[in-house]
Amino acid sequence: MDMNAELIDLSPVLLLAAIGLALAAGPILWLLRRQRHASTPQRLRALTLLALFLTFDLIVFGAYTRLSDSGLGCPDWPGCYGSVSPIGASPEIHAAQTAMPTGPVTHGKAWVEMIHRYLATGVGMLLVVLCAWSWRAARRATGSALASVPVSPGWSTLSLIWVCLQGAFGALTVTMKLNPGIVTLHLLGGIGLLALLAVQAQRYTAALATPASAANMPGDGLWPSPVRLTAGLRRAVLAVLLLVIVQVTLGGWVSTNYAVLACTDFPTCQGSWWPEMDFTHAYTWRPALGLTADGHNLTLATLTAIHVTHRLAAFAVLAAMLALAFALRRHADAPARPYGAWLIGLSAWQLASGLSNVVLGWPLLAALAHTAGAAALVAVLAALLAASVAPAAARRSTFDADGTTPSRPAARHDARPAATPESA
């Protein structure tokens, strides 16, 4: 790697923003054409779903960037050797590749890294548009016919702030040379953004789920809303969501420390049910990739401890997900049953892709599938959690109205606003 490269060089930032805006413009124009006869809240819902889909794609491509060892394909940020693309940085990349043909900087890896940055900038620009449009719609809705389906800009504002923080962690990922802690936090940030967008999409769905509007909203059977769940089931959904997030964190730590191949057999590890493991150094902050907190190289025992912890936790999380899935399929009302099917399918997907990573030697396709499954699980559980509170919150939220008539007086309705990012 060329250590003379400036770690932070903002000279190409405006050109990168223009590329991101151009990438966002295509999907936005397509959406506007497709939704040309829809109301503003329906368009905002469609734009939120589009952002959700592209964020999911970005998470998977980010995993590909890391797994193909392209994370330092451009050793500076946000451009590549101060250029907006690897084309302008061709002499520097050629020199680095000549010095280290199998090193972190090659032409191919530089393009993978920059495409990831272009896509991230495009998602960021999409969220800028969503935030601005939400604020404009909220102001115009006051006293108009749109007031029956109020639009809160708080969630889109939170998403915009979140993606800006994600950009900062993206910079740290490069400047701190793929520090495992930073890379894991960057993964969690992407998963968190996905969950935020899933919640927003469900809140729009609940707000528009009236007899008059349902006919204009195809595809709501994918993630139905609202979903009437008992208080116990709602707590179970939240508990499983938190368990999945913990498991994603452990999985990110396995991947960023390259501990997947510490165990290449199953159900045993290294031919033993309890191999030699070093937990002392397994979960400490590392100064650099491959080093312990005191600067020594990570041992196989440390990597084994990281791997086995994730493996054992997977059994508990899998059991919890399946228990929740069957509870939704058996005891909840009809709109909850598709979520049970999602959880059963994704549980099987994660089990198959996780085992494939171990017994097949960590193939790229299985690793990407495992990351995609984890992201989808968080999105589905977050969507279910948002949908499950919609019926109870519909009478008091400016963001969750389901079109039913409140059972209490309007004055009391106005006196109890729902907790949104603006009021939180």
Side-chain angles (χ1 to χ4, degrees), residues 127 154-164 193 196-197 200:
L127 293 178
W155 290 97
S156 58
T157 303
L158 178 59
S159 298
L160 180 58
I161 294 171
W162 195 288
V163 81
C164 290
L193 179 60
L196 273 176
L197 291 168
Q200 291 173 67

Side-chain angles (χ1 to χ4, degrees), residues 119-213:
L119 293 175
T121 306
V123 170
M125 289 299 175
L126 189 63
L127 293 178
V128 169
V129 173
L130 178 61
C131 182
W133 197 353
S134 297
W135 278 103
R136 180 174 179 269
R139 285 194 294 266
R140 295 186 64 183
T142 305
S144 72
L146 288 176
S148 60
V149 187
V151 179
S152 171
W155 290 97
S156 58
T157 303
L158 178 59
S159 298
L160 180 58
I161 294 171
W162 195 288
V163 81
C164 290
L165 292 175
Q166 266 295 90
F169 271 101
L172 287 174
T173 296
V174 175
T175 59
M176 296 186 69
K177 311 301 181 188
L178 305 182
N179 181 285
I182 296 298
V183 177
T184 301
L185 289 173
H186 193 45
L187 169 65
L188 290 175
I191 296 290
L193 179 60
L194 191 74
L196 273 176
L197 291 168
V199 169
Q200 291 173 67
Q202 283 297 69
R203 289 177 177 268
Y204 273 113
T205 300
L208 292 165
T210 64
S213 63

Side-chain angles (χ1 to χ4, degrees), residues 179-278:
N179 181 285
I182 296 298
V183 177
T184 301
L185 289 173
H186 193 45
L187 169 65
L188 290 175
I191 296 290
L193 179 60
L194 191 74
L196 273 176
L197 291 168
V199 169
Q200 291 173 67
Q202 283 297 69
R203 289 177 177 268
Y204 273 113
T205 300
L208 292 165
T210 64
S213 63
N216 296 323
M217 293 171 53
D220 288 343
L222 185 66
W223 287 353
S225 181
V227 178
R228 291 171 176 81
L229 299 181
T230 63
L233 269 178
R234 287 191 199 125
R235 287 193 294 269
V237 173
L238 176 59
V240 172
L241 174 59
L242 294 176
L243 281 174
V244 169
I245 292 173
V246 170
Q247 182 67 352
V248 169
T249 305
L250 292 174
W253 194 246
V254 169
S255 183
T256 56
N257 282 280
Y258 295 89
V260 175
L261 297 181
C263 301
T264 57
D265 51 330
F266 183 87
T268 58
C269 175
Q270 300 169 15
S272 171
W273 290 102
W274 194 257
E276 180 185 356
M277 289 180 281
D278 173 22

Side-chain angles (χ1 to χ4, degrees), residues 56 60 187 191 243-245 247-249 251-252 266 310-311 314-315 317-319 321-322 342-358 365-378 381:
F56 177 83
V60 176
L187 169 65
I191 296 290
L243 281 174
V244 169
I245 292 173
Q247 182 67 352
V248 169
T249 305
F266 183 87
H310 179 60
R311 182 184 290 192
F315 290 114
V317 175
L318 182 64
M321 288 192 302
L322 290 176
W342 271 104
L343 290 179
I344 292 171
L346 288 172
S347 296
W349 179 276
Q350 286 301 88
L351 179 61
S353 59
L355 288 177
S356 297
N357 281 323
V358 173
L365 185 60
L368 293 177
H370 205 53
T371 300
L377 270 172
V378 171
L381 287 166

Side-chain angles (χ1 to χ4, degrees), residues 7 25 66 76 310 383 389 394:
L7 293 180
R66 174 172 46 81
D76 54 331
H310 179 60
V389 300

